[in-house]
């Protein structure tokens, strides 16, 4: 068997892929699908991609339900950057409201949830499936979740 | 917008004494009414063993998990046995991570779940 | 068998999904994947989706190679609108150069191609796979390809 | 950027008198060097029957088709027989629409293509 090679192409500048979505539940699926196809083309494993789908879905759902809540014609802005083996996804909303539940460090308290209490688990789920995550907010502007997943 | 519409199908059927609730599609906040109604109807009919059977559910988010937690709570109150089947690996993992698998046994197939509840 | 229903949700306004891509060959795959996943969620048939992938790929490739050629840091803008059963995809570039090959009405001349002549076939391929297509250009601004595919 | 990199693998092997060139991945403008080199190498080695065998090629664009047209032209000049296999339905349809199938028979599987060229 003989193998053939093409000359290596120069790497383009790391311009991001940007996605803007209506701030309506359901559209988080478009973000999830787009990030998943980029990750698949980058060579991530299926289980990593499944986790990334969950992380992106939770981040965009939070942007819609919390960050943009009550803003008419709001949008969610998703910025996808591919650099080497790292995939960075930033999810931005337009409002600013302080994050108030500890950024998902604690495992959701299932006992309390079973008592009917509303325990959030989105941030915690995000934390389980990415290598790096950071929540930042700019007063008067919006919140941003920055998630990084590395290949291999 | 077709892809925002309710893409969930919830149906239920009997398998001997076991009630199987089939859940096909996205399990998100929009699934609440259908899943809760299926559970309530089964309970009113006297169901003691229930299987939530997921098919092709490629998308379950935290709001969907919250619905399932409420079903677990109700099953506890009503003294019903609950099992789940048909979840793909990713969601089996999430259900274990969250601790849901302590309250409802998780099986690969519907047959295994029905057999376990019937014995 | 008993079937359960949820109350119908109100339809959101028809705000589009927007995608911005670096004007670099390869990124047309991101546009193709994103449109394909939206189409799949809308319920298009697999053969329609395969055709749409080709149409979007050719339109974005043309935007990169012709519309944006020679522009540094150019971007390709893809606007996806879902309205009822119709999926509309607009592909915009930043340059304006008159389209010069008849907009793909004619089947590519394979005989001439086999003689080594460079016969374009992108526009013709697009025409084969969508229900409606229109090319427009605004001097000094950019070109736009508007493609519509209908479900069923 | 991994997904922009050259995701095409071109290899070649002999099947009796037939040279099979395996093409795995995206067939776009970036495929030109690899595919052309594989063809040239086979030709210099005296290949008279060639199969272009596509595996998992979910993406062939018009620039890729242009490469294949050049291979068809060269095969004509060099008096070689050419067949193609492993294309999915969509690309079989495109190759028929474009008229490429008049110059290279299209088979579902590699085995069928090799058998046809060997006979
Ligand atoms: N994008 C955001 N903008 C404002 N607040 C947010 C945002 N994301 C999360 N939060 C806050 O953090 C809390 C915890 O989020 P999460 O763990 O996802 O659970 P849940 O969304 O179910 O409450 C939310 O209830 C909300 O108060
Ligand atoms: N977005 C565009 N901007 C400017 N010119 C374009 C654009 N798209 C197509 N064209 C013109 O139309 C011609 C035919 O396009 P096409 O049928 O796709 O074949 P090809 O791109 O292989 O030449 C191109 O060569 C180019 O001159």
């Amino acid at each position: 068997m003989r193998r053939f090679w093409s000359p290596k192409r120069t790497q383009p500048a790391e311009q991001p892929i940007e996605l803007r979505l209506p701030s309506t539940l359901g559209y988080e699926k478009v973000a999830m699908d787009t990030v998943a196809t980029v990750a698949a083309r980058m060579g991530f494993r299926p289980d990593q991609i499944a986790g990334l789908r969950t992380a992106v879905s939770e981040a965009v759902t939070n942007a819609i339900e919390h960050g943009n809540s009550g803003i008419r014609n709001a949008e969610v802005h998703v910025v996808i950057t591919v650099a080497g083996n790292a995939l960075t996804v930033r999810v931005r909303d337009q409002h600013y409201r302080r994050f108030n539940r500890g950024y998902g460090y604690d495992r959701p308290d299932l006992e309390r949830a079973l008592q009917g209490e509303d325990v959030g688990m989105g941030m915690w789920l995000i934390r389980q499936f990415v290598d790096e995550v950071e929540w930042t907010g700019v007063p008067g502007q919006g919140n941003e979740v920055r998630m990084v997943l590395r290949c291999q | 917008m077709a892809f925002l519409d309710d893409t969930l199908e919830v149906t239920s059927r009997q398998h001997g004494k076991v009630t199987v609730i089939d859940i096909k599609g996205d399990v998100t906040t929009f699934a609440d009414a259908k899943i809760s109604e299926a559970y309530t109807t089964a309970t009113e009919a006297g169901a003691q063993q229930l299987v939530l059977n997921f098919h092709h559910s490629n998308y379950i988010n935290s709001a969907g998990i919250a619905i399932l937690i409420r079903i677990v709570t109700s099953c506890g109150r009503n003294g019903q046995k609950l099992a789940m089947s048909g979840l793909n690996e990713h969601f089996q993992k999430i259900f274990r991570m969250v601790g849901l698998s302590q309250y409802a046994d998780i099986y690969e197939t519907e047959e295994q779940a029905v057999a376990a509840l019937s014995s």
Side-chain angles (χ1 to χ4, degrees), chain A, chain B:
Chain A
M1 193 179 88
R2 236 192 106 130
R3 189 175 289 268
F4 300 90
W5 301 100
S6 285
K8 205 78 197 140
R9 294 195 266 154
T10 46
Q11 294 290 314
E14 285 163 19
Q15 244 179 295
I17 297 161
E18 296 188 53
L19 187 63
R20 285 174 194 275
L21 300 167
S23 195
T24 304
L25 285 181
Y27 278 98
E28 78 279 6
K29 294 187 267 187
V30 177
M32 177 172 102
D33 289 346
T34 300
V35 172
T37 57
V38 170
R41 290 193 183 278
M42 287 177 70
F44 280 95
R45 294 189 316 266
D47 64 304
Q48 287 181 300
I49 294 172
L52 194 57
R53 293 182 77 92
T54 289
V56 170
S57 146
E58 296 298 328
V60 175
T61 302
N62 277 348
I64 295 170
E65 290 196 315
H66 304 303
N68 285 339
S69 81
I71 305 183
R72 266 177 65 83
N73 296 322
E75 64 177 25
V76 178
H77 187 182
V78 182
V79 182
I80 305 163
T81 315
V82 182
N85 286 331
L87 174 60
T88 302
V89 182
R90 288 180 175 78
V91 176
R92 294 180 186 150
D93 57 53
Q94 290 174 243
H95 193 44
Y96 175 73
R97 212 165 75 182
R98 204 173 292 282
F99 301 110
N100 61 6
R101 292 226 198 154
Y103 302 93
Y105 284 112
D106 297 327
R107 190 163 176 273
D109 188 336
L110 194 61
E111 285 302 325
R112 276 171 44 207
L114 289 167
Q115 304 302 315
E117 236 178 282
D118 191 7
V119 305
M121 63 178 94
M123 287 179 159
W124 181 79
L125 280 172
I126 293 170
R127 226 175 248 293
Q128 306 315 303
F129 293 116
V130 297
D131 293 318
E132 220 177 276
V133 59
E134 188 185 33
W135 280 271
T136 52
V138 179
Q141 293 192 26
N143 287 315
E144 178 182 291
V145 192
R146 192 181 129 270
M147 302 173 279
V148 184
L149 194 69
R150 294 198 181 76
C151 215
Q152 273 133 24
Chain B
M1 313 216 176
F3 71 94
L4 294 180
D5 281 356
D6 225 321
T7 51
L8 183 79
E9 247 182 58
V10 178
T11 53
S12 85
R13 60 205 156 85
Q14 281 307 121
H15 223 294
K17 294 182 308 174
V18 181
T19 305
V20 178
I21 297 177
D22 288 300
I23 299 174
K24 270 192 199 180
D26 300 344
V27 184
T28 68
T29 189
F30 302 111
D32 200 0
K34 281 183 191 170
I35 295 180
S36 300
E37 200 204 327
Y39 169 73
T40 305
T41 306
T43 302
E44 285 168 1
Q48 289 298 309
Q49 286 95 22
L50 289 142
V51 175
L52 297 183
N53 186 36
F54 297 87
H55 303 254
H56 315 295
S57 284
N58 292 314
Y59 181 38
I60 304 179
N61 68 6
S62 59
I65 295 173
I67 298 168
L68 302 179
I69 290 176
R70 286 197 294 278
I71 302 280
V72 166
T73 302
S74 303
C75 284
R77 283 209 194 104
N78 296 326
Q80 295 158 313
K81 275 205 220 164
L82 180 66
M84 304 197 188
S85 62
L87 290 163
N88 71 27
E89 265 180 55
H90 178 61
F91 293 110
Q92 287 185 37
K93 183 164 136 192
I94 288 188
F95 282 27
R96 261 184 245 114
M97 283 162 50
V98 173
L100 257 183
S101 52
Q102 298 185 303
Y103 298 91
D105 286 330
I106 295 177
Y107 298 93
E108 286 287 318
T109 67
E110 176 197 334
E111 290 68 35
Q112 291 167 340
V114 170
L117 288 186
S118 304
S119 67

